[in-house]
Amino acid sequence: MKIALMDSGLGLLPAAAAVRRLRPDADLVLSWDPDGMPWGPRTPEDITARALAVAEAAAAHRPDVLIVACNTASVHSLPALRARFEPDLPVIGTVPAIKPAAAGGGPVAIWATPATTGSAYQRGLIRDFADGVTVAEVPCPGLADAVHHADRPAVDAAVAAAAALTPEDVTTVVLGCTNYELVAEPIRMALQRPGHAPLILHGTAGAVAAQALRRLGETAAPDAPAVGGLTVLLSGREGVLPAEALTYPEGRLLQAVSPAR
């Protein structure tokens, strides 16, 4: 079984690590776009062009399923990706976890890139799944880029700026960009109010990994032999996990468990 994941940057690491935990025997193909990231500030047309190129690079390795581990690409490019690759290659998009977050009753904040914040796609999810729940859309300019470069001062500054825009009564936060899952704890620390109940954060990595297995008719086998290989594609070029990836536990897990191919 071979599972490919694509994103503009390191945001694919949480989903890749989730897949690796569920199926240590699966081969992984990680395809991202260091030449073109971040995608968030780009036009929808440009995002789709970049996403198709990154997906083509992954598809050349003949995976059984492709995970679009990027909210921005899922918002703007999922129809084009599915038109290009399905039904031969199933394409799994990443949807912000608004539905489970709203089920708790809120108030909810959705942290996302400027390209996703306020988009018709996100507004539609809010309308469909958070009717009657107070929802604040919080743009986080620069945060995805800072996470990708493992620039902790820049991460802290972007998190502080977004926290200042987040209403104080928020009980639940949707991490509406896969990169943000890599810095979930700094986000929690910035938002947690003394004396309040623990803040609830909703990411997507586990759900996306499980959905990919379902599409393949497979089940989780966390005790399977850790023989799955790892292929890394950097704007189409074969490479290795960059140093920035190894600053995060998810990147170190992939390096430790996956034999180099």
Side-chain angles (χ1 to χ4, degrees):
M1 179 170 54
K2 184 179 289 186
I3 297 176
L5 301 97
M6 59 165 283
D7 189 9
S8 61
L10 298 187
L12 52 69
L13 290 179
V19 171
R20 175 56 74 231
R21 292 186 186 100
L22 292 174
R23 291 300 299 253
D25 57 335
D27 290 332
L28 300 183
V29 178
L30 311 185
S31 183
W32 64 74
D33 188 25
D35 293 353
M37 65 82 58
W39 288 351
R42 293 179 176 272
T43 65
E45 295 77 15
D46 200 9
I47 291 168
T48 296
R50 304 296 308 191
L52 284 168
V54 169
E56 290 281 5
H61 289 260
R62 303 181 65 82
D64 299 300
V65 66
L66 173 65
I67 295 174
V68 184
C70 175
N71 294 92
T72 296
S74 296
V75 166
H76 297 290
S77 311
L78 204 53
L81 289 166
R82 285 180 167 153
R84 169 65 184 86
F85 296 107
E86 290 189 338
D88 295 335
L89 176 61
V91 177
I92 309 297
T94 299
V95 177
I98 294 171
K99 183 177 181 180
V108 174
I110 305 170
W111 282 33
T113 64
T116 301
T117 301
S119 66
Y121 178 83
Q122 182 161 292
R123 292 281 169 85
L125 292 173
I126 294 170
R127 182 185 62 249
D128 293 343
F129 299 121
D131 186 40
V133 175
T134 300
V135 176
E137 296 181 89
V138 180
C140 305
L143 181 53
D145 197 24
V147 171
H148 177 80
H149 290 102
D151 184 341
R152 187 54 188 265
V155 167
D156 290 344
V159 167
L165 299 175
T166 304
E168 291 192 8
D169 62 346
V170 158
T171 61
T172 306
V173 175
V174 175
L175 301 178
C177 171
T178 53
N179 289 64
Y180 302 170
E181 295 187 50
L182 294 170
V183 291
E185 284 313 304
I187 291 172
R188 185 190 306 278
M189 291 172 61
L191 291 174
Q192 183 65 55
R193 311 295 179 189
H196 287 223
L199 190 73
I200 300 170
L201 301 183
H202 283 274
T204 56
V208 167
Q211 175 64 7
L213 293 182
R214 282 194 293 270
R215 285 290 297 271
L216 294 176
E218 297 283 351
T219 58
D223 296 326
V227 296
L230 180 69
T231 300
V232 175
L233 304 173
L234 307 174
S235 297
R237 306 177 297 274
E238 290 204 34
V240 298
L241 285 172
E244 293 85 354
L246 302 181
T247 66
Y248 299 107
E250 293 86 348
R252 294 193 294 273
L253 169 69
L254 292 170
Q255 184 184 59
V257 174
S258 301
R261 288 287 174 87

